Amino acid sequence: MKFMGVNLWAVLVSALATLAIGFVWYSPWLFARPWMVLMGYNPDDNAKMAEMQKSAGPSYVLSLVASAMAAAVLGKIIAVATINTALYGMKVGLAVWLGFVTTVQLTNSLFSRQPAKLYAINTGYQLVCFLAMGAIMGVWR
């Protein structure tokens, strides 16, 4: 199933992959604690953490929509470039991440005076997502 040359199943899988990556990236196994501290949350306040988890549903839905939009645009770039391998898809994902995601997030980080470590955590997550989306879109073009 394609729309404007983009495989919609690949878009869906890519969007779901970004959620899965986010669950791991921002989990206690990786960056949950430093991210929460840098964001000003107390990771030891169980009541506040439970409250945040209860209200996270809309954020996950909007994040899924945003990821699907990013995957669709990346898929269109990959389709126009006639890329059909995971490796080349990842290279395009890296280029898009480097040219757009890092620059936008860096500007936001600088003007909102976020710590460099917070920028690295959030932008690192986006790097992994764009590499995964590029691989998926490159193969399922």
Side-chain angles (χ1 to χ4, degrees):
M1 179 167 49
K2 289 190 176 189
F3 178 73
M4 294 179 54
V6 177
N7 184 327
L8 296 179
W9 290 112
V11 169
L12 178 62
V13 170
S14 293
L16 292 172
T18 65
L19 283 183
I21 292 165
F23 287 138
V24 174
W25 193 264
Y26 293 102
S27 75
W29 302 308
L30 291 178
F31 300 109
R33 189 168 197 78
W35 181 85
M36 284 190 277
V37 169
L38 291 165
M39 289 293 294
Y41 302 123
N42 179 359
D44 298 320
D45 185 348
N46 293 333
K48 184 68 171 173
M49 293 298 109
E51 180 184 322
M52 286 174 55
Q53 289 172 343
K54 283 182 185 176
S55 65
S59 295
Y60 285 127
V61 170
L62 289 174
S63 178
L64 182 65
V65 170
S67 293
M69 290 170 45
V73 170
L74 184 60
K76 185 62 180 177
I77 293 168
I78 287 171
V80 168
T82 62
I83 292 167
N84 57 8
T85 68
L87 180 60
Y88 283 112
M90 290 172 73
K91 287 180 180 181
V92 172
L94 175 64
V96 169
W97 172 81
L98 188 59
F100 298 101
V101 176
T102 59
T103 56
V104 169
Q105 286 201 0
L106 179 61
T107 301
N108 179 60
S109 179
L110 291 171
F111 283 98
S112 63
R113 305 213 189 284
Q114 291 180 347
K117 189 173 181 179
L118 181 59
Y119 167 79
I121 290 171
N122 289 332
T123 308
Y125 160 70
Q126 293 293 330
L127 170 61
V128 175
C129 288
F130 271 83
L131 292 174
M133 286 190 296
I136 292 165
M137 299 308 293
V139 172
W140 284 2
R141 195 175 83 69

